[in-house]
Amino acid sequence: MFVNYLFDEKNKKALLYGDWDIFDGQYFEEFKREIHVIKPFEIPNDWRIYRTIDYGLDCFAVLWIAVNSIGECYVFREYNRPNMIISEGCKEVKAMSKENAYCTYAPPDLWSRSQESGRCRADIFRESGLHLIKSNNDRVAGWLCIKELLKCNPQPRLKIFSTCTNLIKHLSSIQHDEINPNDCASHPHNITHLPDALRYFAVQHNKIPKQNNFIKTSSFEGDDLIKFLRRN
């Protein structure tokens, strides 16, 4: 076909197959809508539910993720609201949470205390009804953990409900950082919040638990995983 001689592989996929998610500089080249995006289904009662958040005054971002007994992760709900104060955002998140969440991950900066009041934003979350678990903010290790979950071996361990339209769009759009190609670009900033929330989850869950059991296996988790990634 004539197009094979004129265009590189990425442009051929776009022109021939309509795969416009592929472009130069894309960070998550592993992400394929036809593989990772699925129709919603009812989450079984015995799956463990996690929430994971990223917060700034410019955006309150939350993902709900269900994990089954063999470590497959399903992002089934999202919340992405700009200009939302903590107390009001927590009300909306709790109203959307139809399931009992096992825990809610958040970035460490929410525990930084104000010099004026001595309080931290994690305190306000707790007072508003959301008790947070501190995740790890090693950006590169976190992005690598997402890549591991997206990797097909032969199937990916991370899939996303088609109703999570913002996360799907943002994962497709986020690019490599110009200075550090191992990191994601921080601009445009509005597309970074949901991927950041996913990162706080992924760095804690890049492991495969035993069948019908959530006991930690010989795979790495959390800080141990980060140490392993840095050594390799």
Side-chain angles (χ1 to χ4, degrees):
M1 189 179 293
F2 188 61
V3 71
N4 289 331
Y5 299 98
L6 293 180
F7 300 101
D8 60 21
E9 192 62 29
K10 292 181 179 179
N11 282 310
K12 280 192 291 185
K13 286 185 177 181
L15 291 169
L16 293 176
Y17 308 114
D19 190 354
W20 296 100
D21 288 337
I22 302 174
F23 56 87
D24 287 333
Q26 180 185 22
Y27 191 87
F28 292 109
E29 293 185 354
E30 303 84 355
F31 179 68
K32 310 293 182 186
R33 296 189 191 219
E34 66 274 16
I35 296 173
H36 296 96
V37 178
I38 61 173
K39 291 182 179 180
F41 59 85
E42 186 174 351
I43 301 296
N45 292 330
D46 60 341
W47 289 15
R48 187 169 285 181
I49 307 299
Y50 296 86
R51 285 184 303 232
T52 182
I53 75 168
D54 186 55
Y55 177 75
L57 272 179
D58 59 325
C59 187
F60 194 135
V62 187
L63 297 173
W64 284 257
I65 304 173
V67 181
N68 65 17
S69 60
I70 59 173
E72 295 171 332
C73 307
Y74 294 83
V75 183
F76 65 94
R77 186 182 298 134
E78 67 177 13
Y79 175 84
N80 191 53
R81 291 286 300 274
N83 305 315
M84 182 64 65
I85 63 173
I86 293 174
S87 58
E88 291 301 316
C90 287
K91 284 182 183 178
E92 295 191 359
V93 169
K94 288 190 294 181
M96 293 174 66
S97 298
K98 304 175 179 64
E99 315 79 10
N100 291 323
Y102 179 73
C103 70
T104 304
Y105 293 120
D109 63 279
L110 295 185
W111 279 264
S112 298
R113 297 196 175 275
S114 165
Q115 291 184 347
E116 292 77 16
S117 65
R119 287 164 52 81
C120 63
R121 287 173 291 177
D123 292 334
I124 305 174
F125 273 94
R126 185 181 65 253
E127 292 164 2
S128 301
L130 288 185
H131 296 260
L132 305 179
I133 299 294
K134 188 186 297 185
S135 187
N136 190 293
N137 202 26
D138 188 315
R139 289 176 56 85
V140 173
W143 300 133
L144 291 176
C145 287
I146 295 178
K147 284 177 169 285
E148 287 293 329
L149 291 175
L150 290 171
K151 182 176 65 177
C152 294
N153 191 28
Q155 290 294 317
R157 286 168 40 221
L158 178 67
K159 294 189 177 181
I160 304 169
F161 279 16
S162 58
T163 48
C164 298
T165 55
N166 288 299
L167 177 62
I168 293 166
K169 180 171 62 177
H170 297 171
L171 279 180
S172 301
S173 303
I174 202 163
Q175 295 184 293
H176 287 274
D177 183 77
E178 292 182 357
I179 298 175
N180 181 4
N182 293 314
D183 197 0
C184 282
S186 57
H187 297 285
H189 192 61
N190 64 303
I191 69 170
T192 64
H193 296 287
L194 287 171
D196 276 336
L198 183 60
R199 172 165 60 89
Y200 304 137
F201 168 84
V203 78
Q204 300 292 340
H205 286 271
N206 189 26
K207 68 187 184 80
I208 303 176
K210 294 178 180 178
Q211 181 75 28
N212 298 322
N213 202 332
F214 284 91
I215 296 174
K216 184 177 178 181
T217 69
S218 58
S219 298
F220 295 99
E221 180 181 20
D223 291 339
D224 291 334
L225 174 63
I226 291 171
K227 292 176 183 176
F228 173 79
L229 291 170
R230 283 174 171 168
R231 290 199 304 269
N232 293 271

